[in-house]
Amino acid sequence: MTNKQILLRLRIEYIVYVLLALLLVALYELQVFTKGTMEGHTTAVYVLECIGVLLTVVLVPLALKSFHVALERIAEKEEQEHRRSYVKWNEIRLAMFVVVVLVNISIYYVASSTTCGYCAVIGAIASLFCLPPTKKGLMADLTPVEEEKVESPVEPQVEEEKTEEEESR
């Protein structure tokens, strides 16, 4: 898979995600799907709100953190495997945001719950970190990061500490 193919695939997937969210909102606003069907059922609304909030609280940080952890783990793999893993983890991260946003939009309209509306907005804003990279960003992500070991002499650090202590006296 070339860089161009990876970028095209990730961009198409992100656009589909945005279009799905907009389509769901449009279907509720145009009353194709009925709004407020669970409004009178307080227990059901409470359970739905809890589900929406828990999905947001768990999946948003998990999506943001797991991608960076996965990038560190796949850095040792060979190039083609590294590319496949990169695309796979991008898709997993985007899928987590899709779940958060679409479920919370649905709960917002079905239960008339502003809490889940806020959670959908949180998921949508957090998914901006999932925007497909530019060519330079992709190259930076796909090149293995080698730790630079710069040996600094210990003595100057000790001398600096002593001078700071003497100045404070």
Side-chain angles (χ1 to χ4, degrees), residues 13-28:
E13 290 169 353
Y14 194 83
I15 290 169
V16 168
Y17 151 69
V18 171
L19 291 177
L20 275 174
L22 292 175
L23 177 67
L24 187 61
V25 169
L27 289 174
Y28 276 111

PDB file of all heavy atoms in Angstrom, residues 13-28:
ATOM      1  N   GLU A  13     -12.699   7.438   4.517  1.00  0.00           N
ATOM      2  CA  GLU A  13     -13.325   6.935   5.742  1.00  0.00           C
ATOM      3  C   GLU A  13     -13.763   8.079   6.651  1.00  0.00           C
ATOM      4  O   GLU A  13     -14.839   8.025   7.249  1.00  0.00           O
ATOM      5  CB  GLU A  13     -12.367   5.999   6.479  1.00  0.00           C
ATOM      6  CG  GLU A  13     -12.161   4.686   5.761  1.00  0.00           C
ATOM      7  CD  GLU A  13     -11.026   3.862   6.325  1.00  0.00           C
ATOM      8  OE1 GLU A  13     -10.285   4.357   7.206  1.00  0.00           O
ATOM      9  OE2 GLU A  13     -10.875   2.713   5.879  1.00  0.00           O
ATOM     10  N   TYR A  14     -12.956   9.110   6.757  1.00  0.00           N
ATOM     11  CA  TYR A  14     -13.315  10.245   7.613  1.00  0.00           C
ATOM     12  C   TYR A  14     -14.508  11.004   7.032  1.00  0.00           C
ATOM     13  O   TYR A  14     -15.408  11.413   7.769  1.00  0.00           O
ATOM     14  CB  TYR A  14     -12.120  11.186   7.790  1.00  0.00           C
ATOM     15  CG  TYR A  14     -12.333  12.173   8.905  1.00  0.00           C
ATOM     16  CD1 TYR A  14     -12.084  11.807  10.221  1.00  0.00           C
ATOM     17  CD2 TYR A  14     -12.804  13.458   8.662  1.00  0.00           C
ATOM     18  CE1 TYR A  14     -12.280  12.695  11.256  1.00  0.00           C
ATOM     19  CE2 TYR A  14     -13.002  14.357   9.693  1.00  0.00           C
ATOM     20  CZ  TYR A  14     -12.747  13.963  10.995  1.00  0.00           C
ATOM     21  OH  TYR A  14     -12.953  14.846  12.024  1.00  0.00           O
ATOM     22  N   ILE A  15     -14.529  11.177   5.729  1.00  0.00           N
ATOM     23  CA  ILE A  15     -15.658  11.855   5.087  1.00  0.00           C
ATOM     24  C   ILE A  15     -16.940  11.056   5.268  1.00  0.00           C
ATOM     25  O   ILE A  15     -18.009  11.624   5.530  1.00  0.00           O
ATOM     26  CB  ILE A  15     -15.352  12.119   3.596  1.00  0.00           C
ATOM     27  CG1 ILE A  15     -14.264  13.189   3.479  1.00  0.00           C
ATOM     28  CG2 ILE A  15     -16.597  12.529   2.826  1.00  0.00           C
ATOM     29  CD1 ILE A  15     -13.692  13.353   2.091  1.00  0.00           C
ATOM     30  N   VAL A  16     -16.861   9.740   5.160  1.00  0.00           N
ATOM     31  CA  VAL A  16     -18.038   8.891   5.377  1.00  0.00           C
ATOM     32  C   VAL A  16     -18.542   9.036   6.809  1.00  0.00           C
ATOM     33  O   VAL A  16     -19.758   9.118   7.044  1.00  0.00           O
ATOM     34  CB  VAL A  16     -17.720   7.414   5.036  1.00  0.00           C
ATOM     35  CG1 VAL A  16     -18.806   6.482   5.527  1.00  0.00           C
ATOM     36  CG2 VAL A  16     -17.516   7.255   3.540  1.00  0.00           C
ATOM     37  N   TYR A  17     -17.639   9.098   7.764  1.00  0.00           N
ATOM     38  CA  TYR A  17     -18.022   9.301   9.166  1.00  0.00           C
ATOM     39  C   TYR A  17     -18.778  10.610   9.345  1.00  0.00           C
ATOM     40  O   TYR A  17     -19.836  10.666   9.977  1.00  0.00           O
ATOM     41  CB  TYR A  17     -16.773   9.253  10.051  1.00  0.00           C
ATOM     42  CG  TYR A  17     -16.845  10.063  11.318  1.00  0.00           C
ATOM     43  CD1 TYR A  17     -17.694   9.696  12.350  1.00  0.00           C
ATOM     44  CD2 TYR A  17     -16.063  11.201  11.488  1.00  0.00           C
ATOM     45  CE1 TYR A  17     -17.762  10.443  13.515  1.00  0.00           C
ATOM     46  CE2 TYR A  17     -16.128  11.938  12.640  1.00  0.00           C
ATOM     47  CZ  TYR A  17     -16.974  11.557  13.649  1.00  0.00           C
ATOM     48  OH  TYR A  17     -17.043  12.303  14.799  1.00  0.00           O
ATOM     49  N   VAL A  18     -18.256  11.686   8.789  1.00  0.00           N
ATOM     50  CA  VAL A  18     -18.903  12.996   8.920  1.00  0.00           C
ATOM     51  C   VAL A  18     -20.262  12.979   8.230  1.00  0.00           C
ATOM     52  O   VAL A  18     -21.262  13.478   8.777  1.00  0.00           O
ATOM     53  CB  VAL A  18     -17.998  14.109   8.340  1.00  0.00           C
ATOM     54  CG1 VAL A  18     -18.737  15.429   8.261  1.00  0.00           C
ATOM     55  CG2 VAL A  18     -16.741  14.247   9.184  1.00  0.00           C
ATOM     56  N   LEU A  19     -20.340  12.373   7.049  1.00  0.00           N
ATOM     57  CA  LEU A  19     -21.607  12.307   6.326  1.00  0.00           C
ATOM     58  C   LEU A  19     -22.646  11.462   7.072  1.00  0.00           C
ATOM     59  O   LEU A  19     -23.836  11.789   7.059  1.00  0.00           O
ATOM     60  CB  LEU A  19     -21.385  11.778   4.913  1.00  0.00           C
ATOM     61  CG  LEU A  19     -20.631  12.717   3.966  1.00  0.00           C
ATOM     62  CD1 LEU A  19     -20.406  12.049   2.612  1.00  0.00           C
ATOM     63  CD2 LEU A  19     -21.367  14.025   3.812  1.00  0.00           C
ATOM     64  N   LEU A  20     -22.207  10.379   7.714  1.00  0.00           N
ATOM     65  CA  LEU A  20     -23.134   9.558   8.510  1.00  0.00           C
ATOM     66  C   LEU A  20     -23.729  10.364   9.659  1.00  0.00           C
ATOM     67  O   LEU A  20     -24.932  10.290   9.922  1.00  0.00           O
ATOM     68  CB  LEU A  20     -22.423   8.325   9.061  1.00  0.00           C
ATOM     69  CG  LEU A  20     -22.329   7.118   8.155  1.00  0.00           C
ATOM     70  CD1 LEU A  20     -21.455   6.040   8.799  1.00  0.00           C
ATOM     71  CD2 LEU A  20     -23.692   6.569   7.844  1.00  0.00           C
ATOM     72  N   ALA A  21     -22.887  11.113  10.338  1.00  0.00           N
ATOM     73  CA  ALA A  21     -23.376  11.925  11.456  1.00  0.00           C
ATOM     74  C   ALA A  21     -24.346  12.994  10.954  1.00  0.00           C
ATOM     75  O   ALA A  21     -25.416  13.198  11.547  1.00  0.00           O
ATOM     76  CB  ALA A  21     -22.205  12.572  12.191  1.00  0.00           C
ATOM     77  N   LEU A  22     -24.012  13.661   9.864  1.00  0.00           N
ATOM     78  CA  LEU A  22     -24.897  14.682   9.307  1.00  0.00           C
ATOM     79  C   LEU A  22     -26.197  14.075   8.786  1.00  0.00           C
ATOM     80  O   LEU A  22     -27.275  14.670   8.939  1.00  0.00           O
ATOM     81  CB  LEU A  22     -24.184  15.452   8.193  1.00  0.00           C
ATOM     82  CG  LEU A  22     -23.020  16.336   8.633  1.00  0.00           C
ATOM     83  CD1 LEU A  22     -22.322  16.937   7.422  1.00  0.00           C
ATOM     84  CD2 LEU A  22     -23.492  17.413   9.588  1.00  0.00           C
ATOM     85  N   LEU A  23     -26.121  12.899   8.186  1.00  0.00           N
ATOM     86  CA  LEU A  23     -27.317  12.217   7.697  1.00  0.00           C
ATOM     87  C   LEU A  23     -28.248  11.848   8.843  1.00  0.00           C
ATOM     88  O   LEU A  23     -29.474  12.031   8.748  1.00  0.00           O
ATOM     89  CB  LEU A  23     -26.932  10.964   6.902  1.00  0.00           C
ATOM     90  CG  LEU A  23     -28.083  10.102   6.395  1.00  0.00           C
ATOM     91  CD1 LEU A  23     -28.875  10.867   5.328  1.00  0.00           C
ATOM     92  CD2 LEU A  23     -27.567   8.787   5.856  1.00  0.00           C
ATOM     93  N   LEU A  24     -27.685  11.366   9.944  1.00  0.00           N
ATOM     94  CA  LEU A  24     -28.500  11.009  11.097  1.00  0.00           C
ATOM     95  C   LEU A  24     -29.205  12.234  11.670  1.00  0.00           C
ATOM     96  O   LEU A  24     -30.403  12.186  11.978  1.00  0.00           O
ATOM     97  CB  LEU A  24     -27.638  10.330  12.168  1.00  0.00           C
ATOM     98  CG  LEU A  24     -28.369   9.744  13.363  1.00  0.00           C
ATOM     99  CD1 LEU A  24     -29.351   8.662  12.921  1.00  0.00           C
ATOM    100  CD2 LEU A  24     -27.375   9.170  14.350  1.00  0.00           C
ATOM    101  N   VAL A  25     -28.491  13.334  11.781  1.00  0.00           N
ATOM    102  CA  VAL A  25     -29.099  14.575  12.262  1.00  0.00           C
ATOM    103  C   VAL A  25     -30.201  15.020  11.302  1.00  0.00           C
ATOM    104  O   VAL A  25     -31.299  15.409  11.718  1.00  0.00           O
ATOM    105  CB  VAL A  25     -28.031  15.675  12.448  1.00  0.00           C
ATOM    106  CG1 VAL A  25     -28.676  17.025  12.691  1.00  0.00           C
ATOM    107  CG2 VAL A  25     -27.097  15.318  13.589  1.00  0.00           C
ATOM    108  N   ALA A  26     -29.928  14.965  10.000  1.00  0.00           N
ATOM    109  CA  ALA A  26     -30.916  15.388   9.010  1.00  0.00           C
ATOM    110  C   ALA A  26     -32.167  14.507   9.061  1.00  0.00           C
ATOM    111  O   ALA A  26     -33.295  15.012   8.953  1.00  0.00           O
ATOM    112  CB  ALA A  26     -30.301  15.350   7.616  1.00  0.00           C
ATOM    113  N   LEU A  27     -31.996  13.211   9.243  1.00  0.00           N
ATOM    114  CA  LEU A  27     -33.149  12.305   9.313  1.00  0.00           C
ATOM    115  C   LEU A  27     -34.026  12.614  10.519  1.00  0.00           C
ATOM    116  O   LEU A  27     -35.258  12.537  10.434  1.00  0.00           O
ATOM    117  CB  LEU A  27     -32.686  10.847   9.334  1.00  0.00           C
ATOM    118  CG  LEU A  27     -32.108  10.323   8.025  1.00  0.00           C
ATOM    119  CD1 LEU A  27     -31.548   8.921   8.213  1.00  0.00           C
ATOM    120  CD2 LEU A  27     -33.143  10.350   6.917  1.00  0.00           C
ATOM    121  N   TYR A  28     -33.432  12.955  11.639  1.00  0.00           N
ATOM    122  CA  TYR A  28     -34.219  13.328  12.813  1.00  0.00           C
ATOM    123  C   TYR A  28     -34.859  14.700  12.632  1.00  0.00           C
ATOM    124  O   TYR A  28     -36.013  14.913  12.998  1.00  0.00           O
ATOM    125  CB  TYR A  28     -33.368  13.302  14.077  1.00  0.00           C
ATOM    126  CG  TYR A  28     -33.254  11.933  14.698  1.00  0.00           C
ATOM    127  CD1 TYR A  28     -32.054  11.248  14.683  1.00  0.00           C
ATOM    128  CD2 TYR A  28     -34.349  11.325  15.296  1.00  0.00           C
ATOM    129  CE1 TYR A  28     -31.938   9.989  15.247  1.00  0.00           C
ATOM    130  CE2 TYR A  28     -34.247  10.061  15.855  1.00  0.00           C
ATOM    131  CZ  TYR A  28     -33.038   9.403  15.831  1.00  0.00           C
ATOM    132  OH  TYR A  28     -32.942   8.155  16.387  1.00  0.00           O
TER     133      TYR A  28
END
